[in-house]
Amino acid sequence: MTLKKTLPTIDEGYLVDTLTSLLNTPSPTGFADRAVVFLEEELQSYPDMVCTRTHKGALTVTWPGINSASPRAMTAHIDTLGAVIKEIKSNGRLRLSAVGGLNWNSVEAEGVTVFTSGGKAVRGSLMFHKPSMHVYSKEELEAKRDETTMEARLDEKVTNAEETRKLGIEVGDFVSFDPRVEVTNGFVRSRHLDDKACAACVLTAVKALHHAGLKPVQRTTILFSNYEEVGHGAAAGIPADVVELLTVDMAAVGEGQNSDEYHTSICIKDSHGPYHHGMTTRLRRLAQAYDIDYRADIYPHYGSDGEAAWTAGANLAVALIGPGVDASHHYERTHTDALTATTRWLMAYLLEE
Ligand SMILES: [Zn+2]
């Protein structure tokens, strides 16, 4: 029998609490600053880590390692799906334009916050334009949900565009959808687990290693990217001397998928093709060595920040791991089993010779 290697203990309470706070911090792509500030504050307690904001608004964290011969990077994104106001309708309600790969069915009747340019937050909900069972026909009620049939209904006494504008609301204001976070029996149910679940795993790994007095084997740059949901997050922000990038993002769960909510997964291939075989193989061996039960999988409709870096011309190996997330880009759910396994895998990677 081979003895399995051990890792520092994870503070699971911290993982869940940090994830909950991050989920409750609105950060649609293009308006993700609040989440960046949250991370900066969270990382303040580690004087050995240097936080820098890129010109693009992402957060890079430089973590000195035992050596820096083969510097590494790790990335998780903190931007989420959301919307911006496309039009202020004559009835005072708002027509929205989606930010990221949003399915309008998934946000029907969700609470929203409109962030005005003047700094106000106005509450409301996203409604189908003909929602009442007592007013509309079956055909009307069943019509397609899209940009033209969905509208934000504000919790304000407004009946026309002028009254809405008087609230300081204007075309181009960002809109966030309520995450509705709930933690029950280890299940974390919320919107935007993609990819805040992974950002919380990274923070938890950082905490556990610091607590154990450990540091990465190689200098490691952690990039919390802010434009992943529109495809170019990690296209910038990774130092040129970095030789490999571990992308930490959710695993796709559903019919025919090998991933599930209780495990961490490694992606062999997604819509943009295969990841780096050598790095992927090393990560799989590491998981075995540390007794991390993982799933290998293929994600049929998926792209990651690793591929954004590759597409931008980065000369580095890229692999992708992350917790299984059910109903991605919808009302998502994962389990702490998957989150702790992902966190342990991150630590194993950081400590790998
Ligand atoms: Zn993602």
Side-chain angles (χ1 to χ4, degrees), residues 89-146:
K89 297 170 71 170
S90 55
N91 62 2
R93 297 184 178 196
L94 310 170
R95 182 170 161 186
L96 304 182
S97 172
V99 170
L102 183 77
N103 177 351
W104 290 101
N105 292 292
S106 75
V107 279
E108 181 167 3
E110 189 55 274
V112 300
T113 302
V114 176
F115 297 94
T116 73
S117 57
K120 258 173 61 182
V122 181
R123 291 288 294 162
S125 46
L126 188 72
M127 303 301 295
F128 180 60
H129 69 145
K130 293 179 177 179
S132 175
M133 285 284 285
H134 305 99
V135 178
Y136 301 104
S137 70
K138 188 171 176 291
E139 289 68 34
E140 283 173 312
L141 289 165
E142 288 175 357
K144 189 170 160 44
R145 271 59 176 161
D146 62 24

Side-chain angles (χ1 to χ4, degrees), residues 77 194-195 228-229 249-250 302 329:
H77 68 91
D194 171 13
D195 188 29
E228 194 276 349
E229 290 295 359
D249 208 336
M250 53 138 270
Y302 193 104
H329 282 199

